[in-house]
């Protein structure tokens, strides 16, 4: 899976919002600076996240961005889907809609398994987990496997 800059920035920004003190709104420039994200790009991402119901804005001198629901109810998958669409697609279509013939016939099952594997991680990690630095054990165990660190 290739994680886009858009998805990476969105998750980082949401994790920062999840860790905001006293649920106080965070201004866009402060959020951009804290996560080293270009402000213009971040503002576009935050607009998409707002449209998806992940963040909300509060107007006024003390305004800014807030999560729209508790951080423990927003997963990394929710954020990625909000800015990039489905987690796994094949040429823009869901893997279950792709039909292969002959020697490649079982490839559909491979793509569906890839999606299931990805979901087993990003649908179990919440923004609260990220903000607290406490990931689910299964995710920690996967990341600790030396083979996970090998680039191929």
């Amino acid at each position: 899976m290739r994680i886009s800059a858009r998805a990476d920035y969105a998750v980082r920004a949401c994790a920062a919002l999840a860790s905001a003190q006293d649920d106080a709104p965070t201004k866009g420039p402060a959020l951009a600076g804290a996560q080293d994200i270009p402000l213009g790009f971040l503002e576009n991402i935050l607009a998409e996240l707002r449209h998806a119901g992940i963040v909300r804005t509060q107007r006024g001198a003390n305004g800014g961005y807030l999560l729209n629901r508790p951080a423990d109810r927003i997963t990394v998958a929710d954020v990625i889907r909000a800015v990039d669409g489905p987690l796994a697609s094949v040429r823009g279509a869901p893997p279950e809609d792709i039909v292969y013939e002959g020697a490649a016939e079982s490839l559909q099952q491979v793509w569906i398994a890839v999606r299931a594997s990805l979901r087993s991680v990003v649908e179990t990690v919440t923004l609260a987990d990220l903000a607290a630095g406490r990931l689910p054990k299964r995710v920690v165990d996967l990341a600790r496997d030396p083979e996970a660190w090998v680039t191929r």
Side-chain angles (χ1 to χ4, degrees), residues 81-117:
R81 286 185 185 113
V83 297
D84 277 353
L87 294 177
S89 63
V90 179
R91 301 183 320 266
E96 61 272 15
D97 290 351
I98 305 295
V99 178
Y100 296 100
E101 303 293 331
E105 188 173 348
S106 60
L107 188 54
Q108 178 192 52
Q109 291 180 356
V110 172
W111 298 147
I112 290 172
V114 166
R115 179 178 61 190
S117 179

Side-chain angles (χ1 to χ4, degrees), residues 125-146:
V125 177
T126 68
L127 296 179
D129 295 330
L130 293 176
R134 291 187 310 262
L135 300 175
K137 181 180 180 331
R138 182 177 180 285
V139 174
V140 171
D141 290 346
L142 283 169
R144 284 188 178 151
D145 180 351

